[in-house]
Amino acid sequence: MTNPVPPPPDRTDDELARLDIPTLLRYGLTAPPGPRRTALFGDGVAGAAVLLDRLGTQPRSVAFLADVVRAGGLAYAAGLAEPLPRPEATAVVRHWLAAGIDLAAGVAADDTAARWLHAVATLIEVRQRTRTART
């Protein structure tokens, strides 16, 4: 008989929104598979989705930004006048992009950041659809 994996700790949206996403990106984008990468793609995705969802960001905007990061890199995306349509969301995401740029880790970090942004977009969509289904 194998031991089941313990469930992750429950966190409220407010707790997730208070996570230091730039720090998770700094330590998770270039980390090998393990706890840092898991934190980035687990709680980091959830926290980022909560923040952007609260700002009314559409998932397709975040997915588009992910495609821009994949095609042009983090530095290119950070140089866009408006990486996201809403100014409040742009201000938030600029800190995230800057955290990735500071690593100067090249294409591998750009690809990981793009995958991470796609995961954020997916979770925003799930949150929005779930909210719509309840009403």
Side-chain angles (χ1 to χ4, degrees):
M1 179 174 184
T2 61
N3 291 333
V5 176
D10 292 333
R11 294 187 191 232
T12 66
D13 281 2
D14 288 338
E15 290 171 328
L16 290 167
R18 286 192 299 270
L19 290 174
D20 187 348
I21 303 296
T23 298
L24 289 171
L25 286 162
R26 272 188 217 100
Y27 289 101
L29 282 180
T30 58
R36 291 180 181 174
R37 184 66 64 91
T38 299
L40 176 62
F41 277 87
D43 288 345
V45 166
V50 167
L51 288 170
L52 292 179
D53 186 33
R54 287 180 174 178
L55 294 172
T57 306
Q58 293 298 312
R60 67 179 172 265
S61 299
V62 180
F64 181 79
L65 178 59
D67 292 340
V68 169
V69 168
R70 179 161 283 126
L74 285 161
Y76 178 80
L80 296 173
E82 293 179 335
L84 292 175
R86 295 176 172 264
E88 302 86 4
T90 289
V92 168
V93 87
R94 280 197 191 285
H95 292 292
W96 302 347
L97 296 172
I101 293 167
D102 290 346
L103 296 171
V107 174
D110 292 341
D111 285 346
T112 302
R115 282 194 348 266
W116 181 80
L117 284 165
H118 271 291
V120 171
T122 299
L123 192 50
I124 293 170
E125 185 170 358
V126 168
R127 290 174 56 84
Q128 291 176 355
R129 287 179 183 228
T130 301
R131 227 180 0 258
T132 302
R134 281 190 260 156
T135 58

